[in-house]
Amino acid sequence: VPLQSVGWWGVLTSAPVKLIAAVLGSCFVLFYLYLRRMLRHLDPSRSIPSRVRTAFDTLAEGLLVLDPQGRIVLANQAFGEVVGQRGDDLIGKPATSFHWTNQAEARFHSAETPWAASLADARVRHNVMMYLADAGGKRRAFMVNCSPVPGAGGKPAGVLVSLDDVTELEEKEIELRLARDDAQ
């Protein structure tokens, strides 16, 4: 039957076109469900067993796992409390989105952070002093240690960052220094 005699509406409502539309719609829905399921398995926050996550959250020091781009893949409860957010809400944020400073209160740029250096040369960084304002605005001091997570081809697949809060120790050290100066 020629197209002119049936018209566009006739072609669109014909059985072969309806069948093709139904198959395409079904394929789209199945592909969407499959992709969603696969992406859920790739989400590191969901792939960690609950007992490991519980152990991770019970540690007093802040812990972060960062991907090669410096985005947070995993954050424990201790770090979440410092920044005033849940650990799961921090996933995907760049670690440099927080205002990290040095002792002179100068901001660390992305490439200057110990985790960026650890990712660049696959070497461990020990006891780097960094400062961060907590959720209440108080400036806190951290001893930061970064350990690259081995990946394919010897390149780091990420970095484990531990943040030991030494704010009280630093405050006591300042008090002792002032007391010594007064005594002299």
Side-chain angles (χ1 to χ4, degrees):
V1 176
L3 178 61
Q4 286 108 0
S5 65
V6 183
W8 285 106
W9 182 251
V11 171
L12 293 176
T13 58
S14 67
V17 172
K18 287 181 182 178
L19 178 63
I20 291 171
V23 169
L24 286 175
S26 299
C27 288
F28 177 77
V29 169
L30 290 173
F31 180 72
Y32 172 78
L33 294 173
Y34 173 77
L35 186 62
R36 195 169 115 196
R37 182 176 174 206
M38 287 298 107
L39 290 175
R40 189 176 315 129
H41 288 298
L42 294 175
D43 182 0
S45 65
R46 294 185 182 189
S47 64
I48 295 175
S50 62
R51 66 181 182 278
V52 173
R53 180 65 195 202
T54 301
F56 195 61
D57 283 337
T58 59
L59 296 172
E61 70 180 349
L63 288 174
L64 297 172
V65 177
L66 307 177
D67 69 9
Q69 289 75 37
R71 291 184 306 253
I72 298 172
V73 175
L74 197 60
N76 73 342
Q77 186 174 344
F79 183 75
E81 288 173 1
V82 168
V83 297
Q85 298 180 33
R86 289 186 21 212
D88 289 342
D89 295 337
L90 297 171
I91 294 173
K93 289 186 177 183
T96 54
S97 66
F98 302 101
H99 193 76
W100 296 100
T101 61
N102 61 19
Q103 189 169 12
E105 296 191 33
R107 185 168 183 150
F108 277 93
H109 296 289
S110 297
E112 299 172 333
T113 60
W115 50 84
S118 190
L119 284 166
D121 63 11
R123 294 179 54 203
V124 175
R125 297 294 188 275
H126 294 287
N127 300 327
V128 178
M129 188 64 107
M130 295 180 80
Y131 297 83
L132 178 68
D134 64 14
K138 179 182 177 188
R139 187 171 189 240
R140 293 171 76 169
F142 293 94
M143 277 293 195
V144 179
N145 295 293
C146 300
S147 180
V149 176
K155 292 185 120 187
V159 64
L160 174 66
V161 180
S162 68
L163 302 137
D164 193 16
D165 190 342
V166 294
T167 305
E168 288 183 32
L169 288 172
E170 190 171 81
E171 289 170 352
K172 297 289 184 205
E173 184 179 315
I174 291 169
E175 287 176 20
L176 285 172
R177 201 175 318 131
L178 291 173
R180 183 191 69 207
D181 291 347
D182 286 345
Q184 289 178 348

